[in-house]
Amino acid sequence: QSVLTQPPSVSAAPGQKVTISCSGGSSNIGNYDVSWYQQVPGTAPKLLIYGDDKRPSGIPDRFSGSKSGTSATLGITGLQTGDEANYYCVTWETNLNTWVFGGGTELTVL
Amino acid sequence: QLQLQESGPRLVKPSETLSLTCTVSGASISSGDYYWDWIRQSPGRGLEWIGSINYRGMTYYNPSLKSRVSISVDTSKSQFSLKLTSMTAAETAVYYCAREDGSSGKRFFHPWGQGTLVTVSS
């Protein structure tokens, strides 16, 4: 059972928008930055968002991040079939003194 | 362009020690506010942070693994290494190395190595 809770799966049609939630607590998301990663099966995770809402260079502005209290959200607009992947949130957990990962959300673009 | 590549045995016997090395290319392992991390992923445990080291040799470990893990750095070879003792079958996983970047005041993992599947079996 992960410290960070994500929905196991989400789906939407091409061109639509989807949001993926990541729920935690005051010992993690509430006081530490969240980053988001995209992982296509068989490949390594790839950074999408850092510092809650910042995009690294090369990541399209279709991807966005936000945080409110102890929950973070990844948004993806203009969905493409190439966005089909697993998405993970990550932050620091001060009670465990370790980085913690969400359980991952599988995105299907119908 | 910074790249990381894991290397080491793909098969480890139960109770033996896992040894992996990550080679860093395209940038200096000794520069900036960076740590160099090991992360593993298995179907049963998901993604799990193992630990990190900076170029000065300062280490941080996941408390759940601390008694069995050791991470070292060799700046002359641009490499850092993982040793995990007393391996069990449940620790069969893909092991990734990654750079933990804190240069902007925010910390995140980028980039990652391609990962190496380690199987624990007799």
Side-chain angles (χ1 to χ4, degrees):
Chain A
Q1 194 80 359
S2 177
V3 170
L4 303 179
T5 302
Q6 297 182 234
S9 63
V10 296
S11 62
Q16 296 300 304
K17 173 182 177 178
V18 71
T19 60
I20 297 173
S21 61
C22 176
S23 177
S26 59
S27 59
N28 44 71
I29 292 177
N31 281 285
Y32 295 93
D33 293 330
V34 176
S35 53
W36 288 90
Y37 300 81
Q38 177 192 61
Q39 185 179 33
V40 174
T43 70
K46 171 187 169 183
L47 177 68
L48 285 180
I49 297 289
Y50 69 96
D52 299 336
D53 57 8
K54 296 166 181 51
R55 274 178 293 105
S57 60
I59 299 301
D61 59 7
R62 300 189 299 107
F63 295 90
S64 63
S66 63
K67 187 171 82 174
S68 177
T70 58
S71 291
T73 301
L74 174 70
I76 312 173
T77 60
L79 278 171
Q80 303 172 2
T81 55
D83 296 332
E84 288 198 330
N86 293 297
Y87 293 82
Y88 296 91
C89 56
V90 184
T91 191
W92 181 258
E93 165 57 61
T94 194
N95 286 344
L96 300 176
N97 254 348
T98 183
W99 289 97
V100 289
F101 294 79
T105 299
E106 181 180 20
L107 168 63
T108 301
V109 181
L110 302 167
Chain B
Q1 180 184 352
L2 176 67
Q3 291 185 313
L4 289 76
Q5 177 68 57
E6 304 89 349
S7 60
R10 308 295 176 93
L11 181 64
V12 176
K13 290 183 168 53
S15 80
E16 294 193 345
T17 297
L18 168 67
S19 295
L20 293 175
T21 294
C22 183
T23 301
V24 177
S25 61
S28 172
I29 199 171
S30 302
S31 65
D33 185 8
Y34 303 120
Y35 275 75
W36 304 92
D37 293 51
W38 288 99
I39 297 163
R40 65 184 179 183
Q41 183 176 30
S42 64
R45 299 187 181 189
L47 285 159
E48 181 180 28
W49 178 71
I50 299 171
S52 63
I53 192 167
N54 70 3
Y55 74 94
R56 295 187 178 92
M58 182 174 294
T59 54
Y60 294 90
Y61 298 134
N62 186 324
S64 70
L65 300 170
K66 191 171 184 177
S67 64
R68 299 192 292 124
V69 67
S70 175
I71 298 176
S72 59
V73 65
D74 186 337
T75 55
S76 66
K77 294 182 179 178
S78 276
Q79 293 178 335
F80 62 105
S81 298
L82 168 70
K83 288 190 187 302
L84 187 59
T85 63
S86 304
M87 291 285 286
T88 68
E91 296 181 286
T92 292
V94 176
Y95 286 74
Y96 294 100
C97 57
R99 186 178 72 173
E100 182 186 331
D101 187 337
S103 59
S104 65
K106 311 292 184 182
R107 303 207 76 85
F108 50 88
F109 301 109
H110 177 72
W112 298 54
Q114 67 183 27
T116 186
L117 174 61
V118 174
T119 301
V120 183
S121 174
S122 54

